[in-house]
Amino acid sequence: MDIKNIVVAGGGVLGSQIAYQSAYCGYNVTIWLRSEGSIGRCQPKLDRLHTIYLDTLEAMKANPAAYAYGLCAKEDVTPEKCDELKQRAEHAYSAIRLTTSYDEAFKDADFVIEAIAENPEEKIAFYTEMAKHLPADAIVVTNSSTMLPSTFASYTGRPEKYLALHFANEIWKNPTAEIMRHAGTGDEAFDATFAFAASIRMVPLKVLKEQPGYLLNSMLVPFLSAAQALWAGGVGSVEDIDRAWTISTGAPSGPFRILDIVGLTTAYNIAIMDPRAKDPSTIQHLVATKLKEKIDRGETGVNAGKGFYDYTEK
């Protein structure tokens, strides 16, 4: 299948990254958003990515440690090549289109990446409306962190062309793309999705059967949940919990730094999917409550300038 026109539905932390990386790799990219307010929240994320890509490419000229797989092959890193790639980053930034129109976004789409909130009702409403505007041969994938494609396949109007494609955060330097089919996904759609992931400089990883959380989040979500339980239960401070992990394991980031990158809204949506969160006597309810308090204060993570840590310039 000849894929040229990419639509990313949702301009959140990962949606904006997927869109920018796809545009950087030469695709025509549109981001579909629910409202003008969503456009206003998405644009600063693209502004930030624009700066990150340019700064990373500049740093790669002299510092091997700055290398990011998603930007180019390691053997291609030269000052001249990095300057050339900076022009690609500039073009990507200027070429991405933002729209709230279903028809404008999807009428010519070849490949749709759904990256909206982890809310089943919202996903169903989106798929149901999108299906009215999409060409018959377009492939649709979900970047859902925890939900199974079989849950939504029938609402897309093309279950054989629907599957999961899950990215890690900071995809320019953490370039995994987990590809997971449901029982009705056709081989052609699976193979085309694998090829697309490779074409935007991701490392495609096959998930051989449906699994909530895929490979990465099946490991990551329990880790982050354990850290949040320690925090909400008053067992340790955010800083000390992070230090316990980074100092003891050598990991570059602790769980709360990771949560700030993921975004507290995503963490909250995952937390409230746990049935135990409805019971006020449980630690799961306390975690959800404390996350909601931070979200209500606008402390949603790195892109907001503050989450568990403060990222504003002093």
Side-chain angles (χ1 to χ4, degrees):
M1 180 180 178
D2 186 19
I3 295 174
K4 294 180 180 177
N5 299 321
I6 307 298
V7 180
V8 179
V13 173
L14 262 172
S16 58
Q17 291 180 29
I18 297 164
Y20 200 100
Q21 181 69 21
S22 298
Y24 175 80
C25 290
Y27 288 98
N28 303 320
V29 177
T30 299
I31 303 177
W32 175 86
L33 297 148
R34 294 181 183 279
S35 65
E36 291 299 323
S38 297
I39 289 178
R41 290 186 291 274
C42 177
Q43 187 59 54
K45 296 181 179 68
L46 296 175
D47 297 343
R48 178 174 175 268
L49 290 168
H50 177 224
T51 299
I52 287 171
Y53 275 56
L54 293 178
D55 288 351
T56 302
L57 286 164
E58 183 63 29
M60 282 167 50
K61 291 180 181 180
N63 181 8
Y67 173 71
Y69 178 94
L71 301 188
C72 67
K74 202 162 192 175
E75 58 269 22
D76 289 340
V77 178
T78 64
E80 295 75 21
K81 184 65 173 180
C82 288
D83 285 337
E84 178 186 328
L85 293 172
K86 286 168 73 173
Q87 294 304 309
R88 278 176 49 182
E90 292 283 10
H91 176 75
Y93 179 63
S94 63
I96 295 171
R97 297 188 305 156
L98 309 181
T99 183
T100 60
S101 166
Y102 275 95
D103 192 55
E104 182 182 348
F106 299 107
K107 65 180 180 179
D108 296 319
D110 299 317
F111 197 89
V112 176
I113 303 165
E114 175 267 302
I116 66 175
E118 292 288 83
N119 180 305
E121 289 77 19
E122 290 183 12
K123 289 183 187 291
I124 289 170
F126 164 73
Y127 287 133
T128 302
E129 181 60 33
M130 176 201 65
K132 302 173 186 177
H133 303 268
L134 205 58
D137 58 351
I139 293 171
V140 180
V141 301
T142 179
N143 181 58
S144 172
S145 298
T146 56
M147 299 179 187
L148 300 178
S150 58
T151 304
F152 306 104
S154 63
Y155 299 101
T156 68
R158 62 200 63 233
E160 75 287 353
K161 293 183 174 66
Y162 177 68
L163 63 161
L165 176 62
H166 181 257
F167 296 84
N169 265 294
E170 300 188 338
I171 66 176
W172 62 93
K173 63 179 181 179
N174 301 322
T176 58
E178 299 174 272
I179 303 163
M180 183 172 74
R181 68 202 307 164
H182 64 92
T185 302
D187 289 342
E188 183 178 356
F190 186 90
D191 293 344
T193 301
F194 189 97
F196 168 75
S199 76
I200 60 168
R201 292 202 54 78
M202 298 295 103
V203 178
L205 306 173
K206 295 180 181 179
V207 183
L208 301 179
K209 58 189 292 188
E210 278 198 315
Q211 162 71 26
Y214 312 77
L215 303 177
L216 174 62
N217 282 330
S218 292
M219 298 179 282
L220 181 62
V221 170
F223 165 62
L224 298 179
S225 296
Q228 290 170 89
L230 291 171
W231 160 68
V235 178
S237 69
V238 164
E239 294 79 9
D240 280 350
I241 295 167
D242 271 3
R243 281 194 286 260
W245 185 258
T246 57
I247 295 172
S248 299
T249 67
S253 300
F256 292 99
R257 291 284 184 188
I258 294 171
L259 282 162
D260 277 352
I261 294 169
V262 170
L264 273 64
T265 301
T266 296
Y268 174 74
N269 287 334
I270 292 172
I272 61 175
M273 285 193 293
D274 187 332
R276 294 172 295 179
K278 296 179 181 179
D279 182 349
S281 69
T282 64
I283 191 66
Q284 289 79 18
H285 178 83
L286 185 57
V287 167
T289 300
K290 289 175 74 68
L291 285 172
K292 185 63 163 57
E293 290 171 354
K294 291 184 73 62
I295 291 168
D296 289 345
R297 293 196 296 268
E299 299 170 7
T300 57
V302 170
N303 282 295
K306 188 173 184 179
F308 287 101
Y309 293 91
D310 192 336
Y311 301 92
T312 56
E313 294 184 1
K314 303 299 183 184

